[in-house]
Amino acid sequence: MTPGGAAGSGRPAPRMVSAVPRTRPGDRPWSADPYSHAVLSGRGPLFLRRADGWLLPLEVERWCADADAVDREVLARCEGAVLDVGCGPGRLVAALAARGGTALGIDVSEAAVAHTTRLGGQALQRSVFEPLPGEGRWGTALLVDGNIGIGGDPAALLRRLSRLLAPGGLLIAETVPDADVDERVSVRIVRIPGTPDGTEDHDGGPGAAGPSFPWARLGTPALLRHAARAGWRPQGQWTAGGRAFATLRNRRASSSADPANSPAVSSSQRPRNTSPGMPVADS
């Protein structure tokens, strides 16, 4: 791993910020949903639930633990500054930071971002489709723990990541193991599988289900098909610990509109000062 500039670009690493959640009107519901409560407690059970009742268990305990051997193998393949998309509780960002690497996590969950910063990682409460620091400078992007599903449109996500990475940048994506799955679904995060609509919680705790949102599930063959159409070059694939991964190389060429010496973060994205003793917030 080279924690300096983006791999092979000769460009400076993205300007980093110490992180606190960026809250906006409408963000507060995330602080009361089942996922946030699971992150705060460090345990499930938690599931993605389709309207037809299909359930996908979410591995909250693993996500809230330290990076394991499979995670460390993923991190060993990273190049340059790393953007962890959908970083969750932040185990990968924290592990990279502990190694002295440059890494930033992004997540729409306020609880996940707060957990990441408590671990010593840097994170922003932001969607991958919003403006981000260091666009076009990142050496590696991570899509692990099913995050290829973000937005329910893998093609759009791959196009967005191509713009975030430096030319020749690396994407490491986790896929559904041992299956050629390529599906778009509407799901809810639920704590109690028998709760049909999230309007009632049978154990008296916070809401049993969050709102519905689009999601996608891809096996490696499907990922490679989408990636080829989006201009990515496949580099490798492997399985470990019952999990499957693929690496892709960005083919995006340098642009004259994106000169090598331009700043990694625009003035609207630079850190601003906060009160003494508080971390720096991103604008």
Side-chain angles (χ1 to χ4, degrees):
M1 181 182 301
T2 55
S9 69
R11 298 179 180 180
R15 186 186 301 273
M16 301 299 294
V17 295
S18 298
V20 295
R22 185 183 71 166
T23 56
R24 301 175 300 275
D27 281 336
R28 276 298 166 191
W30 284 98
S31 66
D33 70 8
Y35 176 70
S36 297
H37 285 279
V39 168
L40 290 171
S41 67
R43 58 185 174 84
L46 207 64
F47 306 84
L48 287 185
R49 184 185 189 277
R50 279 194 320 225
D52 63 4
W54 172 91
L55 291 169
L56 176 68
L58 300 180
E59 299 182 73
V60 176
E61 288 83 359
R62 179 171 66 81
W63 299 345
C64 290
D66 293 337
D68 61 19
V70 177
D71 296 327
R72 291 192 294 273
E73 183 176 353
V74 169
L75 300 182
R77 296 171 186 255
C78 292
E79 302 170 357
V82 179
L83 180 68
D84 187 1
V85 178
C87 66
R91 73 188 190 282
L92 301 183
V93 177
L96 287 165
R99 298 180 181 193
T102 300
L104 176 70
I106 58 170
D107 204 289
V108 295
S109 166
E110 181 177 351
V113 168
H115 193 283
T116 302
T117 61
R118 284 196 297 271
L119 293 180
Q122 297 192 79
L124 294 175
Q125 185 185 352
R126 201 162 302 183
S127 163
V128 66
F129 296 105
E130 293 183 273
L132 294 171
E135 296 205 9
R137 301 290 192 276
W138 296 98
T140 301
L142 298 177
L143 283 177
V144 300
D145 302 329
N147 284 329
I148 187 63
I150 288 173
D153 187 344
L157 181 58
L158 288 168
R159 290 193 298 269
R160 173 59 174 150
L161 291 172
S162 183
R163 295 192 295 271
L164 289 172
L165 286 172
L170 186 70
L171 170 62
I172 304 177
E174 184 171 355
T175 60
V176 177
D178 303 321
D180 189 5
V181 177
D182 189 354
E183 66 178 15
R184 317 288 177 274
V185 292
S186 180
V187 296
R188 294 175 184 268
I189 298 176
V190 301
R191 294 193 302 113
I192 301 173
T195 303
D197 58 8
T199 59
E200 184 178 356
D201 186 343
H202 301 301
D203 69 359
S212 61
F213 58 94
W215 197 250
R217 297 177 68 239
L218 297 183
T220 298
L223 172 63
L224 296 180
R225 290 193 295 270
H226 286 287
R229 290 192 289 269
W232 292 82
R233 175 170 54 87
Q235 179 161 325
Q237 52 187 281
W238 75 98
T239 60
R243 299 165 63 189
F245 302 89
T247 52
L248 304 167
R249 186 71 66 179
N250 181 9
R251 287 177 171 169
R252 183 175 64 87
S254 298
S255 167
S256 59
D258 187 26
N261 293 326
S262 62
V265 182
S266 68
S267 59
S268 64
Q269 295 171 312
R270 295 187 191 282
R272 58 180 170 81
N273 291 329
T274 56
S275 58
M278 295 294 290
V280 176
D282 185 67
S283 301

